[in-house]
Each structure stands twice: as structure tokens, then as C-alpha cells.
Amino acid sequence: VGLTHQLRALDSDAGVHGIGLARPALLDCWRRPLPGVLPADLSEQVSRALREDIGSGDVTAQLIAQQRQARASVICRESAVICGTAWFDESFRQLDERVRVRWLVKDGATVAADTVLCELEGPARALLTGERTALNFLQLLSATATITAQHVRAVAGTACRILDTRKTIPGLRTAQKYAVHCGGGQNH
């Protein structure tokens, strides 16, 4: 029995991908994450990234007075499909829960160039320490969502659909699958 009950046959004559060649069956169990569901390993992904980026400490941030508060805005310089807000928030939450992030857009939103995405306020040291990790997640996942959306638009009106693969950045598979979903693609 095993996984055979999860396999479903595909019509080899269907116009999938624009050709009628046979394709392997798909496992229904790989259709994750569900809409709006964040990956369970999100916190660990952020923790690993912060450990790698900060190491034994952020020397530059130590130059700023500990009590100093700061504000910042994140501006998207190109049109994009936004993804990664939860990873961004988690980056600052793990560093200092006093950092406040106010999002003006949500994951899956398409924005024009020069759109303010969010505003931050809190301890300057935490903002400086977390900005690179937070922005790396936001940029990578938004890029994945944006490219996915471009491909989804390219096949609109056809029988084709855009699916992700297992070929993701090590340690970020669930994050990138979430980004594909935000871009309108489907998880395989």
C-alpha cells in the first residue's frame, strides 16, 4: 500500500505545459504550505541566519548608546510581489521585543517602485543589528514571489500551472515554498 493511495493518474494527453507528453504522478501530500500558513520552522530559519550574521556580536551596533532609540522605513525600489514579512518581524523579535514594525503591505501584495513597505521603531542597536538579516529574508522571498508571479501571468489562460520544486536554498525550502504560494504558484 505505502504511498500508492496518494498517487493520482494524470491525463497524458492533457495540454499541460503546452505539450501532450506523459508526466509522472504527483503526490498530494506535497501541496504545502496551505494558504496563509507560515512554515513551522520559520523561527529556526531566522535564528540560524542571525547566528551566522552576528556571530559573537555586532561591533558596529556597540558604538551606539544603549538607550538610543531610532526609526526607519523600508522602501521597495522596484515593483515586486512582497513576501517575507513574518521572517522580517521574527528577526527583530529575536533580537529585542521592543522593536515595533508597522506594515503598510501584506505578503502577496504587488507594489510599485518606491513604495514604503513598513516603518520600524525601537532600540537603535537592535535595528542596526537586525536590518541585514531581516532585509535578506524580505528580498529573497519577495524575489521568489515576484518571479513566480511573472511566470503565473505568462501562462494565464492556458492549462499550465506554475509549481515549485525541491531545488531550493538549503535550510530555506519551506520559506521559498511559501514565497511561491505568495506569487500565485502552487506547491508540488
Side-chain angles (χ1 to χ4, degrees), residues 35-49:
V37 177
L38 294 169
D41 62 340
L42 186 152
S43 182
E44 179 54 33
Q45 291 172 8
V46 170
S47 180
R48 279 192 312 265

Side-chain angles (χ1 to χ4, degrees), residues 50 53-54 58 88 91-92 95 125-136:
L50 286 170
D53 186 49
I54 300 167
D58 186 345
F88 189 96
S91 296
F92 290 107
L95 290 170
R125 283 185 178 183
L127 292 180
L128 288 171
T129 300
E131 60 90 16
R132 180 50 31 214
T133 298
L135 288 174
N136 282 346

Side-chain angles (χ1 to χ4, degrees), residues 45 48 52 140 166-174 176:
Q45 291 172 8
R48 279 192 312 265
E52 181 178 318
L140 172 68
R166 69 177 196 281
K167 296 170 184 78
T168 56
I169 295 174
L172 294 177
R173 178 173 292 173
T174 58
Q176 289 189 293

Side-chain angles (χ1 to χ4, degrees), residues 20-86:
L21 301 175
R23 297 183 336 150
L26 300 176
L27 288 175
D28 287 333
C29 62
W30 290 106
R31 297 181 194 279
R32 289 185 276 253
L34 297 174
V37 177
L38 294 169
D41 62 340
L42 186 152
S43 182
E44 179 54 33
Q45 291 172 8
V46 170
S47 180
R48 279 192 312 265
L50 286 170
R51 283 192 310 269
E52 181 178 318
D53 186 49
I54 300 167
S56 61
D58 186 345
V59 178
T60 305
Q62 298 302 316
L63 298 172
I64 307 298
Q66 188 171 1
Q67 69 279 7
R68 175 120 187 189
Q69 297 292 301
R71 292 183 193 182
S73 295
V74 175
I75 301 170
C76 188
R77 294 296 180 196
E78 298 178 20
S79 61
V81 175
I82 301 306
C83 182
T85 60

Side-chain angles (χ1 to χ4, degrees), residues 8-12 16-17 19-26 161 163:
R8 60 183 175 84
L10 295 179
D11 180 358
S12 62
V16 179
H17 302 295
I19 57 176
L21 301 175
R23 297 183 336 150
L26 300 176
R161 56 192 174 131
L163 300 169

